[in-house]
């Protein structure tokens, strides 16, 4: 801003400062005229805002009831789910190892369990052996099967089969 | 007691649910803020009725929201922002109503632009302002919103640059720029209307 511009700006500033008190006084005079009336109407219309009260049990009831119901349903669902039968586990070596790691069973327990199993299967084997022996004995007691074909017929059948077989081979 | 202390007192009384005491403190606060708010609304609207409406609206907003006032700015800055918004809204509504009922919007604008005569409706208050003061006020009221408000606060309300900035919620340099531009516009306006500064000074 050059000198003349600064000078003009200063003069406008002076003009504003010089006229400000009278404008302010006139504005105040107008506002004072309606002051009491406006203030009275404002005070009449003032609504004291209600501060939010602390939540008492009565206030909590509408909120608490649905929450309590939801919590009860959740607990019931969890309980029912825990009573369901566990899924069937296919026992493999790895699962057995896992079980031995997870459970309190020791190696000695497994050895004992194995011996019991062997003893059980041994007795089963013995039982099955006696059953087979009984079956053999009963078969022997039965009559030998009756064959309708004679020895010659059987021979013929056998030779025919050989011949057909040789014919097939010669054809091929 | 400062404005902020009074606000705290109102808040405490509201918290203790002392309605009568809160109302009393609130009344005191409203009374304290009334004068400058009314001057601003008068200056901005050029109509006493409209200014009264605006002040009532501002005060009601103050009483409604005082419980949640968080002291992030001063009370006056907060009120200034409310006042600016309220004046704008009322002006728009007034123009709309006028154009709808009377179809004389342009006439009303001209009346507003007449300045001092519109602001001071009766002869008694009009006499308080000299011819020179009237012309200056006429020019000032034609400025852009931010410039006009900076001039109002700095010159007519006699606030310092820093106080004006605080009230307007902007920096001091912004206020200086607004004032500089306002003076430049006024100068060109005076020159255009054959009212050179030499005559006025």
């Amino acid at each position: 801003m050059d000198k003349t511009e600064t000078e003009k700006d200063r003069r406008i500033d002076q003009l504003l400062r010089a006229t400000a008190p009278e404008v302010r006084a006139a504005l105040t005079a107008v506002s004072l005229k309606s002051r009491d009336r406006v203030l009275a109407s404002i005070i009449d219309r003032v609504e004291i805002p209600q501060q939010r009260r602390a939540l008492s049990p009565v206030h909590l009831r509408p909120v608490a009831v649905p929450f309590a119901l939801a919590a009860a349903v959740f607990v019931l669902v969890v309980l029912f789910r825990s009573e369901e039968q566990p899924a069937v586990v296919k026992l493999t070596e790895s699962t057995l190892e896992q079980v031995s790691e997870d459970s309190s069973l020791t190696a000695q327990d497994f050895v004992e369990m194995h011996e019991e199993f062997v003893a059980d299967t041994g007795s089963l084997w013995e039982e099955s052996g006696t059953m087979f022996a009984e079956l053999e004995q009963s078969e022997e007691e039965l009559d030998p099967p009756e064959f309708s074909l004679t020895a010659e017929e059987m021979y013929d059948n056998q030779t025919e089969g050989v011949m057909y077989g040789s014919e097939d081979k010669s054809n091929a | 007691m400062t404005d902020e202390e009074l606000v705290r007192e109102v808040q405490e009384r509201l918290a203790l649910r002392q309605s009568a005491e809160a109302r009393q403190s609130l009344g005191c606060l409203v009374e304290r803020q009334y004068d400058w708010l009314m001057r601003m609304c008068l200056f901005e609207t050029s109509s006493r009725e409209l200014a009264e409406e605006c002040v009532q609206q501002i005060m009601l907003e103050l009483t409604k929201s005082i419980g949640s006032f968080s002291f992030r700015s001063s009370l006056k800055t907060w009120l200034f922002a409310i006042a600016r918004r309220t004046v704008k809204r009322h002006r728009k509504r007034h123009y709309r109503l006028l154009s709808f009922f009377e179809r004389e919007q342009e006439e009303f604008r001209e009346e507003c632009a007449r300045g001092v005569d519109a602001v001071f409706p009766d002869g008694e208050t009009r006499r308080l302002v000299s011819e020179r003061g009237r012309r200056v006020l006429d020019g000032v009221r034609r400025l852009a919103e931010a410039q006009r408000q900076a001039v109002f606060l700095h010159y007519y309300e006699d606030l310092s640059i820093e106080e004006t900035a605080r009230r307007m919620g902007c920096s001091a340099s912004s206020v200086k720029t607004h004032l500089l531009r306002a003076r430049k516009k006024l100068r060109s306006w005076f020159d255009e209307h054959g009212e050179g500064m030499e005559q006025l000074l």
Side-chain angles (χ1 to χ4, degrees):
Chain A
M1 208 189 292
D2 59 20
K3 260 189 178 179
T4 51
E5 287 284 306
T6 316
E7 179 57 27
K8 281 179 182 174
D9 188 64
R10 197 183 58 77
R11 286 166 78 180
I12 286 282
D13 181 65
Q14 278 180 351
L15 186 64
L16 283 164
R17 283 189 197 287
T19 55
E22 54 191 85
V23 174
R24 185 183 157 90
L27 287 170
T28 308
V30 176
S31 72
L32 278 175
K33 279 197 169 179
S34 50
R35 192 175 201 270
D36 293 339
R37 185 170 43 82
V38 174
L39 278 176
S41 74
I42 291 168
I43 300 294
D44 283 347
R45 286 170 70 187
V46 162
E47 288 170 18
I48 297 294
Q50 291 297 313
Q51 288 292 102
R52 208 168 278 170
R53 293 169 193 173
L55 287 174
S56 67
V58 176
H59 291 95
L60 281 172
R61 198 179 294 157
V63 185
V65 170
F67 269 101
L69 282 172
V73 169
F74 178 75
V75 169
L76 284 172
V77 167
V78 169
L79 282 174
F80 275 109
R81 280 180 68 86
S82 63
E83 281 178 9
E84 277 177 5
Q85 291 296 321
V88 177
V89 179
K90 195 179 177 184
L91 282 172
T92 58
E93 282 183 12
S94 61
T95 50
L96 275 173
E97 281 170 11
Q98 188 65 35
V99 167
S100 66
E101 279 175 14
D102 293 348
S103 67
S104 57
L105 292 172
T106 60
Q108 187 58 38
D109 295 333
F110 273 100
V111 169
E112 282 170 9
M113 283 163 73
H114 182 254
E115 280 170 0
E116 277 176 25
F117 176 74
V118 169
D120 290 344
T121 48
S123 63
L124 276 171
W125 182 251
E126 280 172 11
E127 280 174 22
S128 63
T130 51
M131 280 172 75
F132 274 116
E134 282 170 6
L135 270 172
E136 277 174 4
Q137 201 179 350
S138 63
E139 277 175 359
E140 280 172 4
E141 285 171 1
L142 287 169
D143 292 329
E146 287 182 2
F147 296 103
S148 55
L149 294 172
T150 59
E152 284 178 358
E153 283 170 343
M154 284 176 72
Y155 177 75
D156 289 343
N157 286 342
Q158 200 178 357
T159 50
E160 275 175 16
V162 171
M163 278 170 71
Y164 289 132
S166 61
E167 272 177 11
D168 287 344
K169 276 180 186 172
S170 62
N171 288 335
Chain B
M1 195 183 260
T2 62
D3 292 341
E4 279 69 28
E5 283 169 350
L6 202 52
V7 172
R8 275 187 212 284
E9 192 182 275
V10 174
Q11 287 180 339
E12 280 166 17
R13 285 177 172 177
L14 285 173
L16 294 167
R17 297 171 66 190
Q18 299 171 332
S19 295
E21 288 85 352
R23 186 181 281 270
Q24 199 182 345
S25 305
L26 210 51
C28 186
L29 196 65
V30 165
E31 238 181 283
R32 269 194 191 190
Q33 307 305 320
Y34 172 84
D35 289 329
W36 76 270
L37 277 171
M38 186 63 184
R39 279 198 297 271
M40 182 187 163
C41 292
L42 262 176
F43 176 77
E44 284 288 317
T45 59
S46 321
S47 155
R48 202 163 68 181
E49 289 76 25
L50 212 55
E52 284 173 9
E53 258 181 59
C54 288
V55 170
Q56 284 187 356
Q57 196 62 43
I58 296 161
M59 294 306 189
L60 287 177
E61 207 164 318
L62 165 75
T63 56
K64 267 184 197 167
S65 333
I66 197 155
S68 57
F69 183 69
S70 55
F71 299 94
R72 276 181 294 183
S73 62
S74 74
L75 179 76
K76 282 196 168 78
T77 307
W78 185 51
L79 283 175
F80 184 80
I82 297 175
R84 196 156 53 179
R85 206 171 51 230
T86 311
V87 163
K88 232 182 214 179
R89 200 168 51 226
H90 271 74
R91 264 172 144 181
K92 271 186 190 170
R93 196 191 300 163
H94 201 72
Y95 285 143
R96 268 204 303 275
L97 281 173
L98 210 68
S99 64
F100 183 75
F101 289 116
E102 300 172 20
R103 306 281 175 196
E104 287 174 344
Q105 193 172 333
E106 285 307 309
E107 196 181 317
F108 181 75
R109 278 187 182 156
E110 278 172 23
E111 189 192 335
C112 290
R114 279 209 308 275
V116 75
D117 293 342
V119 179
F120 311 120
D122 54 76
E124 196 187 333
T125 46
R126 218 178 294 172
R127 273 196 296 277
L128 290 169
V129 188
S130 64
E131 183 59 31
R132 192 175 63 161
R134 284 170 163 211
R135 285 185 182 176
V136 174
L137 191 58
D138 268 356
V140 169
R141 295 182 66 259
R142 283 176 169 79
L143 294 171
E145 191 190 14
Q147 295 167 8
R148 193 173 64 232
Q149 285 166 358
V151 168
F152 172 76
L153 293 173
H154 183 59
Y155 291 104
Y156 296 155
E157 287 294 303
D158 204 20
L159 300 181
S160 67
I161 298 281
E162 286 72 27
E163 281 172 324
T164 306
R166 220 172 296 135
R167 188 77 62 91
M168 289 178 79
C170 61
S171 65
S173 58
S174 299
V175 171
K176 280 179 190 169
T177 312
H178 288 319
L179 290 173
L180 193 72
R181 285 181 185 162
R183 288 195 294 264
K184 203 175 174 183
K185 269 192 185 174
L186 278 174
R187 206 171 61 215
S188 60
W189 190 79
F190 289 145
D191 291 340
E192 274 173 32
H193 289 77
E195 296 157 344
M197 282 189 300
E198 283 71 24
Q199 288 173 312
L200 291 172
L201 281 169

